[in-house]
Amino acid sequence: MAKRLKLSTRAFGAEPGLPDVAALAAWIAGHRGITADIITYQLDQSLAPQLPAGIMSPCAGGRFYKNRIRECLLGVEGGKATGEIHLNPHAIIEDAAGIVVQKKGAWCALPAPHLLGITDTYYHGEEEWNDAITGTYRNLMRSMRDTGISGHVIICESLREPEIESLVRQNVFFFQPKPDRESLACLMEHQHQIAVGRDHIDTVLDLSGEYDLRKIIIVDPDHESIERALACLDPDQVSAGGYCMDTCKDYWKNLVDAAVYTR
């Protein structure tokens, strides 16, 4: 008799594009009475399609949220750190409150500090700059958690060990959409769960002999990739994940459908 396995599903954010005038007008009409801008719209659109699809661990945000973080940083002018970095958390707290209204316990995805595009002209060396910017991130994430956000996904373009050492926590998950073997090894050294696309499953399984791998989250899984993971791991160690980079209307529903494995 065939056995049916339903994997848990987790989101790592989304990258909704900028709306056209008609779409933005319709959204504003449906959200009267709130203070909102384009980033508020993108946060809403990154999360909203996940909820009816039934994503078990939904996550708002994405790389686009760098614009909000940059505008809330004091000590930055013209993309350069010209003074001691401080955070004005007011807009970030409002964003967190809006996410929690949509879904209590949701996570929020943020771009890693190196994706902010800020050049340091104030601090004395890379170590001091890293301490300053990652300390600001910890304050940012604490402000959001105090408002009801459960945790944060940190989206990386390249993996920088000082960032991960400073920021990784139980409720902070580093996600690199396009990793290489060296990056995967670094991630697995610092966190026991890892999210990868289908093409990197074999690399993770190979590295699991050196690191304590407790869960693999397959981004955009198919039957074959789930089967490969289950050949080495127990069912409760395999999950399905998503990071929507395009139109998300059907993306999350398709992910939930793909997370059902029959053998």
Side-chain angles (χ1 to χ4, degrees):
M1 179 180 292
K3 293 184 178 181
R4 189 171 180 268
L5 173 65
K6 185 176 182 180
L7 304 182
S8 61
T9 51
R10 179 172 181 177
F12 298 108
E15 305 297 342
L18 297 177
D20 58 31
V21 174
L24 184 59
W27 183 83
I28 291 172
H31 293 77
R32 295 190 185 280
I34 67 169
T35 302
D37 58 13
I38 291 295
I39 300 172
T40 314
Y41 170 86
Q42 290 178 296
L43 277 173
D44 177 88
Q45 293 300 296
S46 66
L47 179 61
Q50 299 175 32
L51 305 183
I55 297 297
M56 296 178 185
S57 182
C59 179
R63 288 179 57 157
F64 69 86
Y65 200 66
K66 74 176 183 180
N67 295 324
R68 177 73 83 221
I69 297 174
R70 283 178 58 131
E71 73 181 28
C72 290
L73 292 179
L74 306 177
V76 176
E77 296 180 9
K80 296 181 179 180
T82 58
E84 189 171 346
I85 297 289
H86 293 288
L87 178 72
N88 178 355
H90 179 72
I92 285 168
I93 290 171
E94 284 195 345
D95 289 338
I99 293 169
V100 172
V101 166
Q102 276 191 274
K103 180 63 177 178
K104 184 178 179 181
W107 283 49
C108 185
L110 310 174
H114 67 265
L115 291 177
L116 295 181
I118 297 174
T119 302
D120 172 37
T121 62
Y122 175 79
Y123 292 92
H124 304 289
E126 290 186 11
E127 184 176 350
E128 190 174 339
W129 163 245
N130 180 74
D131 289 346
I133 192 65
T134 56
T136 301
Y137 259 63
R138 288 194 296 272
N139 291 337
L140 183 162
M141 292 188 289
R142 188 180 306 113
S143 295
M144 297 188 90
R145 289 197 305 272
D146 288 346
T147 310
I149 297 297
S150 286
H152 289 87
V153 173
I154 304 292
I155 301 173
C156 305
E157 187 171 279
S158 60
L159 198 65
R160 306 192 180 186
E161 195 156 11
E163 288 184 351
I164 191 170
E165 287 178 345
S166 298
L167 295 175
V168 72
R169 300 286 190 280
Q170 183 176 358
N171 52 7
V172 177
F173 185 89
F174 274 76
F175 171 54
Q176 186 177 6
K178 297 180 180 180
D180 55 23
R181 185 183 179 90
E182 183 179 358
S183 296
L184 290 172
C186 182
L187 280 171
M188 294 174 71
E189 183 177 354
H190 290 91
Q191 57 187 34
H192 301 306
Q193 300 185 28
I194 192 160
V196 291
R198 300 188 294 263
D199 294 343
H200 295 95
I201 292 174
D202 292 338
T203 303
V204 169
L205 294 176
D206 184 46
L207 288 168
S208 66
E210 303 174 45
Y211 302 100
D212 181 14
L213 176 65
R214 299 178 188 172
K215 178 168 286 189
I216 184 170
I217 304 157
I218 308 171
V219 179
D220 298 330
D222 59 11
H223 185 277
E224 180 185 1
S225 60
I226 296 172
E227 188 170 58
R228 289 192 349 249
L230 290 174
C232 300
L233 300 170
D234 294 333
D236 62 355
Q237 293 179 290
V238 182
S239 297
Y243 176 48
C244 184
M245 297 292 292
D246 200 351
T247 303
C248 297
K249 179 181 178 182
D250 298 318
Y251 175 85
W252 298 107
K253 179 182 180 301
N254 291 339
L255 176 65
V256 171
D257 291 344
V260 178
Y261 175 76
T262 303
R263 62 178 175 181

